[in-house]
């Protein structure tokens, strides 16, 4: 058990500055933030520049620092830092979902090899303690499914679209103005961010580890007012869901917009909120809802990881040890696709076609297709096709 | 760290038989259920009588048994068992909220003195991991409020009343028939059960420890169809809430029916489900929803406590160590009271009266009153007065 936590912090963006302020406010005995390393000396920041250093070695080669907080954006640079930190036998707390999803196995193995903790609660759903809950409370339950609304930007956009019919682009512009969307929203609205989080969740929930290349991610970029109308008429909401489902045939997992019946709890998760719905054999259905993003809420998850180091906490990965669930992308799912141009629907071949229809000028089709086939057939689409999963 | 968990189980009712079946199904290495002690040799049970013993000493004096699972109904007998178990340096996992609320300080001190764990996740909100979440994820956040729907029976009854206007007694009879209410529903519908859970929650969330005598509990026994109509017309639900709120003036805490705006998440918690809403300075608002009762869901919480003993887990009680929040029952709250008989409203003196009205034959008043004064004035009421907290 470390008697003293001496922190080297990489990054002073939203979460980095958040944890700085939280630590300053809490003044926790035996926790000391010693060094902050940032990349650019010229960027204006909320605290004096004398607080910053610009050389990674100032943290990585400081033997007094026993914990590295990695809170930078650049996943590749983060990987280099985290790797070196673990090799230097420093505990690591990170929020970098992309880095984790890309280098999960290697980094977990490194942390085990060097007997240090690698914690990353803040990487998935902000302040919702989903990883800790999976690890401690559901470690020996048998999980059947996990559905996550894990991207605040997409959920904000979808909530606004359901409030008032308007073009997708107008909302994105407005969301950017209010700080709910990045200047390049691709990672968020095309499902990449949700996919990284799904990969992390699945390792803890089902013991299955996928690479980002293996997992289908469909986004909400091409959702149209008529799709929203269609959903409303049929008493659905549309949510971007990281969906994982385990049965005898294996683990089905993908990120896609989904039509969710209005009676289901996930429908009520609005704006930038996140939520995770778990169905477990013994505990049955659970919902965790909270702030999925934001400087201080995400910092609260970093803080909970930090203080748990006093108890030598590290993830048990009990599902990976217990089970041998296999990823299976052959499963058929029911899918809705739509476009203003009927030609756009052609490239996607359903296994079984169920329904064809129109909603004003919109053409749509519903049918069954395997996750694998849907992934292959949507890989290089350049059209404005909107694809969403439909309930069975 | 115990290499082997050898269990002595007291009780084979709903939760006791639940954990028996869960352990049998999971076959977790290094966990062995050795002895089951029950009270009555004559009660019919789902497994053969050769599995049972009838002498507490068969567990308490067995030095091989290092974990006692206390899952009996009788709070006084449970107290004797748990005390002896802790004194014999056995870890204890219990679901007995009444016993804990009555003997909290002594039992926690005993577990510390004998350096064994006393865990009780299953005592509050069944399979919702609320205590672990408070202990691990919000231990260093500053909690502002905690609202819990922690009694499945009351919530089931209220949900049914909002579905269809009908007399309270008819629903209770029906709930008893379906196994959602005990033959004597007093503990549930008069808010006692919720109060025991509130006391446990508050110790972990705010570090404040109350005795049951200090806390106001109002129940739902006297809610009438016209109260439901009144709520519906004004876009409220009514929920039985364990309510705790911390501000500069201290911790206000009570159990009472509350009018909840329909837009709030707690409104959507229906039937026998439970939920806890937390508001924290850093993490902001969180909701945890799940099965608050039931044999197997509650057993899943017992299981999570059991396996955490492999990691020497015990509660940190960090809030009790960090803060010195003080209980304060002087705070004014806004209260609604109603009865068919105007005379019934007389004994309660508001600090400020806000509104008087009628709903069909029902007379009601809304006003402000301190929690302390409300507790005193409702202590010996024999009338059919319904009292509920109204939003500010």
């Amino acid at each position: 058990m470390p008697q003293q936590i001496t922190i080297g912090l990489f990054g002073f963006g939203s979460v980095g500055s958040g944890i700085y302020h939280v630590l300053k406010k809490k003044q926790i005995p035996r926790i000391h933030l010693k060094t902050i390393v940032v990349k650019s000396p010229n960027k204006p920041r909320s605290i004096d520049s004398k607080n910053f250093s610009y050389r990674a070695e100032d943290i990585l080669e400081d033997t007094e620092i026993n914990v590295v907080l990695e809170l930078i954006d650049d996943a590749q640079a983060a990987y280099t830092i985290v790797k070196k930190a673990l090799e230097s036998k420093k505990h690591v707390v990170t929020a970098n979902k992309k880095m984790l999803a890309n280098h999960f196995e290697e980094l977990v193995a490194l942390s085990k090899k060097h007997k240090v903790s690698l914690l990353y609660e803040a990487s998935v759903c902000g302040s919702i303690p989903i990883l800790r809950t999976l690890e401690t409370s559901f470690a020996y339950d048998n999980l059947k499914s996990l559905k996550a609304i894990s991207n605040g930007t997409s959920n904000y956009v979808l909530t606004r679209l359901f409030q008032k019919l308007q073009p997708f682009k107008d909302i994105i512009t407005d969301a950017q103005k209010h700080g709910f969307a990045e200047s390049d929203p691709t990672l968020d609205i095309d499902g990449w961010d949700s996919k990284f989080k799904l990969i992390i969740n699945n390792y803890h929930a089902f013991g299955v580890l996928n690479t980002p290349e293996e997992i289908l991610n469909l986004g909400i970029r091409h959702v149209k007012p008529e799709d929203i109308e269609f959903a409303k008429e049929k008493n659905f909401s549309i949510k971007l869901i990281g969906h994982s489902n385990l049965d005898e045939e294996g683990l089905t997992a993908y990120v896609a917009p989904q039509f969710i019946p209005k009676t289901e709890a996930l429908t009520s998760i609005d704006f930038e909120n996140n939520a995770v719905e778990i169905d477990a054999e013994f505990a049955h259905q659970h919902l965790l809802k909270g702030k999925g993003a934001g400087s201080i809420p995400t910092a609260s998850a970093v803080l909970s990881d930090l203080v748990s180091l006093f108890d030598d906490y590290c993830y048990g990965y009990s599902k990976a040890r217990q089970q041998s669930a296999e990823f299976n992308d052959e499963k058929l799912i029911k899918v809705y696709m739509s476009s203003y141009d009927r030609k756009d629907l052609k490239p996607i071949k359903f296994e079984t076609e169920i329904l064809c229809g129109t909603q004003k000028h919109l053409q749509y089709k519903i049918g069954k297709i395997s996750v694998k086939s849907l992934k292959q057939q949507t890989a290089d689409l350049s059209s404005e096709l909107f694809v969403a999963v439909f309930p069975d």
Side-chain angles (χ1 to χ4, degrees), chain A residues 6 8 24 43 58 70 139 228 268 295-296 310 322 335 369:
Chain A
T6 305
K24 199 163 176 185
K43 206 165 160 181
D58 290 351
E70 183 288 298
I228 308 289
S268 70
S295 169
I296 301 293
F310 282 129
Q322 282 172 63
V335 161
I369 185 169

Side-chain angles (χ1 to χ4, degrees), chain A residues 2 6 14 66 78 120 124 155 167 169 181 208 241 251 271 275 364 381:
Chain A
T6 305
S14 168
N66 56 357
Y120 40 84
V124 182
N155 205 53
K169 277 173 193 158
V208 173
I241 305 280
L251 183 77
F271 296 106
Y364 70 83
L381 280 188

Side-chain angles (χ1 to χ4, degrees), chain A residues 130-163:
Chain A
I130 176 63
L131 301 180
R132 197 63 94 84
T133 300
L134 290 171
E135 280 291 329
T136 57
S137 301
F138 298 115
Y140 285 83
D141 205 330
N142 302 319
L143 264 65
K144 296 191 282 184
S145 77
L146 188 151
K147 296 181 205 169
I149 294 178
S150 61
N151 184 265
T153 305
S154 300
N155 205 53
Y156 176 86
V157 171
L158 288 169
T159 305
R160 291 279 308 271
L161 283 171
F162 270 78
Q163 282 183 331

Side-chain angles (χ1 to χ4, degrees), chain A residues 274-295:
Chain A
N274 278 195
V276 183
E277 197 177 81
I278 295 166
D279 195 9
E281 182 182 354
F282 305 139
H284 295 190
Q285 231 175 40
H286 275 254
L287 182 84
L288 287 83
K289 175 187 169 187
K291 292 282 166 234
S295 169

Side-chain angles (χ1 to χ4, degrees), chain A residues 1 14 17 22 63 65 94 108 128 166 169 171 214 221 304 321 341-342 360 377 381:
Chain A
M1 192 196 294
S14 168
S17 63
V22 165
T63 51
I65 288 174
T94 173
V108 170
I128 301 179
Q166 54 193 310
K169 277 173 193 158
I171 306 219
E214 290 169 317
R221 186 186 290 271
S304 76
R321 287 189 284 110
D341 189 344
R342 189 176 291 271
K360 289 187 180 153
Q377 296 186 50
L381 280 188

